[in-house]
Amino acid sequence: MGDVRHVGVAMRQDVVVTASPPVAAARPAPGAVLDAVLERITYANEETGYTIAKVATDRSGTDLLTVVGSLLGVQPGESLRLVGRWGSHPRYGRQFEVHSFTTVLPATVQGIERYLGSGLIKGIGPRMAARIVGHFGPDTLRVIEEEPGRLVEVPGLGPKRTAMIGAAWEEQKAIKEVMVFLQGVGVSTSLAVRIYKKYGDGSISVVRNEPYRLAADVWGIGFKTADTIAQAVGIPHDSPQRVQAGIQYTLSEAAEGGHCYLPEPNLVADAAQILGVSADLVCTCLDELAAAEGVVREAVPNPSTDGGTIPAVYLVPFHRAESALAGSLLRLLNTSVDRLPAFAGVDWAKALAWLKSRTGAELPGEQEQAVRLALTSKVAVLTGGPGCGKSFTVKSVITLAAAKKAKIVLAAPTGRAAKRLTELTGHPAATVHRLLQLRPGGDPTFDRDNPIDADLLVIDESSMLDLILANKLVKAVPPGAHLLLVGDVDQLPSVGAGEVLRDVLTAQTVPRVRLTKIFRQAAQSGVVVNAHRINAGQPPAFGEHPDFFLFPADEPEATADVVVDLVARRIPGRFGIGPRDIQVLTPMHRGPAGAGNLNIVLQQALAPYRDGTPERRQGARVFRTGDKVIQIRNNYDKGAAGVFNGTVGTVTGLSTVDRQLTVRTDEDEDIDYDFDELDELQHAYAITVHRSQGSEYPAVVIPITMSSYTMLQRNLLYTAVTRAKRLVVLAGSRKALAIAVRTAGTGRRHTALTHRLRDVAR
């Protein structure tokens, strides 16, 4: 429920929106009016809303005028009435500074054709717009509004497409009413569309009377936006409704940061600061919220003291998941049923000799212990760093289980990890989401009452399992089946709340093996050697291996230039690795060397605009065919079994007529996105290290600068380096690299899974 930034944008007809530059400055009240058609957007800042665009007017002829201000959300082809003032930029010359704008319906035939052909109305592209306007002339918009059935008069427009155009026009009108109501509080067009799709004709009633529902019900609207709306409709600052919503928002923000709960003193202090109210009022509303079962209070062990407790406050789903996961793991571990009974009394000397004849290699001691454990213990954990043989151990477990005709199920949190597991073992592997067959809404088809039919389940990249997903998974494991969790506990924890793998290992309740010995062949890899050096707090060695490099650059801007040069020219030229197989991994999204800016400059270098090819602007982003993209939220309603946060793909189709974009995911599924859903996607030429978990790439480029100081941590750098199969190139500051290596991390997350595993086990 994280908040998003909003800028005012207008609907199709006569909606006035204030448009401010990124830094407010004292200036005369704007009063000049400019009627223009938006031709193209040359720059847009997603964080501030500041936009630079080119417009055409009746008087400008073929020359385009420059306008600046907050115009995010408008699209080329729209007719605008801009209010502001003329100014002069010392470098770019005369320009119009926009204070507010109104979108208006065009009056001329040329304007109507440009408007309809711009992709604003689903079902109408440039060619069809020309036909429609050619048939109806200046009366076109009145016909669409009042007599849409007459569109069948246009050659090539049948009843089905006519109905689609009419429905799209009506929806725009309905959304406009919602937008008129919301525009005063700066809610964007795309969010108005979502509100309308969620509540329909009841949209205005919900917004006016229950604005905090928006934060829970509508993706993209967080508490801060709902709070702005609530204040605009008159809900008091100290209203219990507001404070209780703020408490839940504070807990949600903590969950976004990985915490399953907050200690009550921390929660009260944080919520009071966020809401601007007294701690006493927060405490009173927290009591009421707990009594209404909106949150759960429970005393849990204080990790900083020996034997003490702290009052913990949970959102209900996280408390249920943590308690249920601990119970499920212990039930699996302690059941008397065994679906792999053949290994209870197996002759291990004979079994391991047979295994050697099949694989051609003898298992070292640590790996032999892990194989035995996985096949004799109902739940086991296999952990270790790169080059220590996790993959070979897993393959050995599966080979022996298959020899006994066991039903083997393999899964991983991401599509790339599942593919890698399939290639490694020769057995099909699925993502955890697909394995559970999650239905719309997120409920799994397989659960305790309908478990997965398996004797052995192997879950790779288990460090990525967050609390909610791990609970769903373990619930679906049948009694007596063997569950093997495989992962590197030294990597970053899951993006979602919890530290499941670390908590399970810390509890000492579940049997585990940690592989520590690096194979001789792996020891020749600079990627492997330096990953282990970083994990041990030692600086990586440069110049000793042909697959690990540093390109120094002191400033973030210079680092960004180096990254683009590496991806577009140097690495392909020297190593023959194409740009699509090179992944840039950054500590942060913001800043010159952050994922946001790098995606812009890498797209310009690798997928520039070409005349005649369609593209779609979404806020500050421009989507084009061929773009690398990543899904940034779980959407259970898309695809065969949902599309999930972190799913990567390539844009394979883009239609301005159908207002739709198609993505081919790394699970080889084609997913369609309507244009009003594109804020679920980000470009993936560069992604944050957190989003890269579970994936491997032939080459990884890691910009590391002092501007990402708060994220310079050892496990983040270690995770980034271990994503590479063949090549790692660091670019940036030696000082920043040294800080990252010696900074162990920011401490543990607030979780109590370890306590619950120990407590129930007693």
Side-chain angles (χ1 to χ4, degrees):
M1 301 200 305
D3 188 56
V4 295
R5 295 177 180 267
H6 298 281
V7 292
V9 284
M11 284 306 301
R12 305 284 75 86
Q13 303 175 38
D14 303 330
V15 180
V16 179
V17 183
T18 298
S20 304
V23 179
R27 63 188 184 191
V33 176
L34 181 67
D35 290 325
V37 175
L38 184 68
E39 291 292 332
R40 68 174 182 268
I41 295 174
T42 57
Y43 170 80
N45 186 307
E46 191 171 8
E47 295 177 10
T48 65
Y50 186 70
T51 303
I52 302 172
K54 295 289 188 179
V55 300
T57 68
D58 291 340
R59 295 181 179 180
S60 65
T62 58
D63 295 329
L64 299 181
L65 305 177
T66 300
V67 298
V68 297
S70 183
L71 292 166
L72 285 183
V74 296
Q75 296 293 332
E78 288 191 272
S79 295
L80 306 174
R81 175 157 292 169
L82 308 169
V83 179
R85 67 169 190 166
W86 288 100
S88 181
H89 189 280
R91 180 176 176 184
Y92 299 109
R94 192 167 185 253
Q95 58 189 25
F96 191 82
E97 299 173 6
V98 180
H99 176 260
S100 64
F101 67 88
T102 307
T103 59
V104 295
L105 293 177
T108 66
V109 169
Q110 293 85 356
I112 293 170
E113 181 177 331
R114 181 83 166 83
Y115 173 76
L116 290 178
S118 65
L120 291 166
I121 305 300
K122 191 170 185 177
I124 303 179
R127 292 182 181 178
M128 186 53 66
R131 289 187 198 170
I132 295 172
V133 175
H135 186 80
F136 294 112
D139 208 27
T140 296
L141 298 182
R142 187 199 64 78
V143 170
I144 296 175
E145 167 77 21
E146 300 175 6
E147 303 176 272
R150 287 188 58 196
L151 289 172
V152 295
E153 299 173 14
V154 179
L157 268 184
K160 183 177 179 181
R161 200 165 179 190
T162 295
M164 181 174 70
I165 293 170
W169 185 269
E170 286 300 315
E171 183 176 76
Q172 290 290 338
K173 285 172 55 184
I175 293 169
K176 180 207 165 189
E177 293 180 13
V178 177
M179 192 61 209
V180 167
F181 181 74
L182 294 178
Q183 62 88 17
V185 292
V187 176
S188 68
T189 304
S190 61
L191 293 182
V193 170
R194 286 220 176 93
I195 292 170
Y196 178 78
K197 286 188 174 181
K198 179 67 179 179
Y199 303 118
D201 293 339
S203 297
I204 292 177
S205 174
V206 170
V207 170
R208 181 179 285 123
N209 300 313
E210 304 174 272
Y212 293 105
R213 276 182 62 188
L214 299 174
D217 293 350
V218 182
W219 184 78
I221 295 184
F223 170 79
K224 291 183 180 179
T225 301
D227 195 38
T228 302
I229 296 170
Q231 292 180 52
V233 299
I235 291 179
H237 186 72
D238 59 355
S239 161
Q241 177 188 359
R242 176 177 184 265
V243 177
Q244 290 181 15
I247 290 169
Q248 292 180 313
Y249 165 71
T250 305
L251 289 170
S252 295
E253 285 291 284
E256 291 284 331
H259 300 294
C260 297
Y261 70 83
L262 279 181
E264 188 167 323
N266 301 36
L267 170 62
V268 171
D270 291 349
Q273 182 177 9
I274 289 169
L275 294 166
V277 299
S278 70
D280 289 342
L281 179 58
V282 173
C283 288
T284 300
C285 291
L286 178 58
D287 290 341
E288 295 170 354
L289 192 59
E293 300 183 349
V295 296
V296 177
R297 278 170 156 160
E298 182 183 354
V300 301
N302 187 340
S304 60
T305 62
D306 186 13
T309 63
I310 55 172
V313 184
Y314 287 81
L315 288 173
V316 174
F318 294 105
H319 185 267
R320 287 177 179 168
E322 197 173 72
S323 301
L325 176 57
S328 296
L329 283 170
L330 292 170
R331 275 193 295 274
L332 290 175
L333 194 62
N334 298 323
T335 182
S336 59
V337 181
D338 193 346
R339 295 184 61 146
L340 289 177
F343 292 98
V346 73
D347 182 338
W348 281 105
K350 185 176 179 181
L352 294 172
W354 176 85
L355 179 65
K356 180 180 178 182
S357 71
R358 295 294 300 268
T359 63
E362 188 169 349
L363 284 172
E366 290 177 335
Q367 294 182 39
E368 179 184 330
Q369 181 188 355
V371 170
R372 290 188 183 214
L373 194 66
L375 295 171
T376 57
S377 177
K378 309 295 173 41
V379 183
V381 176
L382 172 62
T383 188
C388 292
K390 290 196 304 295
S391 297
F392 185 71
T393 304
V394 169
K395 187 173 183 179
S396 299
V397 169
I398 292 170
T399 301
L400 285 170
K404 297 296 184 181
K405 310 298 184 187
K407 295 178 180 176
I408 301 167
V409 172
L410 310 179
T414 67
R416 283 177 179 260
K419 277 187 176 180
R420 192 173 66 246
L421 191 56
T422 300
E423 293 165 359
L424 165 73
T425 63
H427 285 258
T431 63
V432 175
H433 298 93
R434 288 187 180 275
L435 173 64
L436 296 173
Q437 295 183 19
L438 299 183
R439 299 187 293 265
D443 292 328
T445 300
F446 293 104
D447 54 20
R448 185 169 296 155
D449 297 326
N450 181 35
I452 299 163
D453 184 15
D455 303 322
L456 171 67
L457 287 95
V458 178
I459 311 299
D460 200 9
E461 297 286 358
S462 293
S463 63
M464 291 184 65
L465 289 176
D466 62 53
L467 176 64
I468 299 297
L469 184 59
N471 179 48
K472 291 177 180 178
L473 170 66
V474 176
K475 274 185 180 178
V477 179
H482 290 228
L483 174 64
L484 177 61
L485 300 175
V486 183
D488 185 347
V489 75
D490 293 321
Q491 289 185 17
L492 288 171
S494 56
V495 174
E499 289 187 283
V500 173
L501 186 63
R502 184 179 296 277
D503 285 349
V504 169
L505 287 168
T506 305
Q508 302 290 323
T509 310
V510 176
R512 84 290 310 282
V513 171
R514 180 164 191 149
L515 304 179
T516 58
K517 184 179 179 181
I518 303 176
F519 278 121
R520 185 185 308 167
Q521 183 177 356
Q524 299 173 6
S525 163
V527 176
V528 172
V529 169
N530 282 319
H532 284 275
R533 288 179 63 89
I534 291 166
N535 200 33
Q538 301 170 0
F542 298 103
E544 298 180 10
H545 298 90
D547 58 355
F548 205 97
F549 300 91
L550 170 66
F551 280 73
D554 290 332
E555 298 301 324
E557 292 80 3
T559 300
D561 293 339
V562 170
V563 168
V564 173
D565 189 39
L566 286 166
V567 174
R569 187 175 67 85
R570 286 180 177 265
I571 294 175
R574 178 167 176 180
F575 295 95
I577 302 174
R580 297 232 161 241
D581 290 326
I582 304 167
Q583 185 61 58
V584 178
L585 302 179
T586 71
M588 297 178 67
H589 183 78
R590 296 182 179 180
N597 182 63
L598 284 174
N599 272 314
I600 293 172
V601 293
L602 285 167
Q603 185 193 41
Q604 290 170 351
L606 303 176
Y609 172 72
R610 293 180 175 84
D611 287 339
T613 58
E615 61 178 30
R616 173 66 182 185
R617 180 174 289 276
Q618 176 71 26
R621 304 185 189 113
V622 180
F623 290 97
R624 298 176 183 133
T625 302
D627 275 339
K628 289 172 66 174
V629 292
I630 187 169
Q631 175 84 9
I632 61 171
R633 65 170 290 231
N634 289 342
N635 188 331
Y636 300 101
D637 300 323
K638 281 199 168 295
V643 183
F644 302 98
N645 188 359
T647 298
V648 176
T650 302
V651 177
T652 56
L654 195 159
S655 171
T656 55
V657 176
D658 296 330
R659 294 179 56 79
Q660 201 169 71
L661 176 151
T662 302
V663 174
R664 182 77 169 177
T665 72
D666 56 7
E667 296 179 58
D668 298 323
E669 183 178 13
D670 291 319
I671 305 293
D672 292 328
Y673 292 82
D674 290 338
F675 281 172
D676 59 24
E677 298 175 315
L678 293 185
D679 51 0
E680 295 186 18
L681 294 175
Q682 288 182 354
H683 289 95
Y685 298 101
I687 60 176
T688 61
V689 179
H690 280 87
R691 291 200 178 278
S692 73
Q693 290 174 261
S695 297
E696 276 190 348
Y697 313 95
V700 164
V701 175
I702 308 168
I704 185 164
T705 68
M706 291 301 295
S707 63
S708 56
Y709 184 86
T710 58
M711 299 297 290
L712 296 178
Q713 297 166 18
R714 187 183 304 157
N715 61 348
L716 186 140
L717 180 59
Y718 172 75
T719 301
V721 168
T722 57
R723 300 306 87 209
K725 290 190 283 189
R726 292 173 50 190
L727 176 69
V728 168
V729 183
L730 300 174
S733 162
R734 292 183 184 273
K735 180 180 178 181
L737 174 60
I739 291 172
V741 170
R742 68 171 180 258
T743 304
T746 55
R748 296 290 302 277
R749 297 176 169 186
H750 292 302
T751 70
L753 179 60
T754 295
H755 152 67
R756 298 183 195 284
L757 286 168
R758 289 171 175 168
D759 190 56
V760 179
R762 290 194 186 104

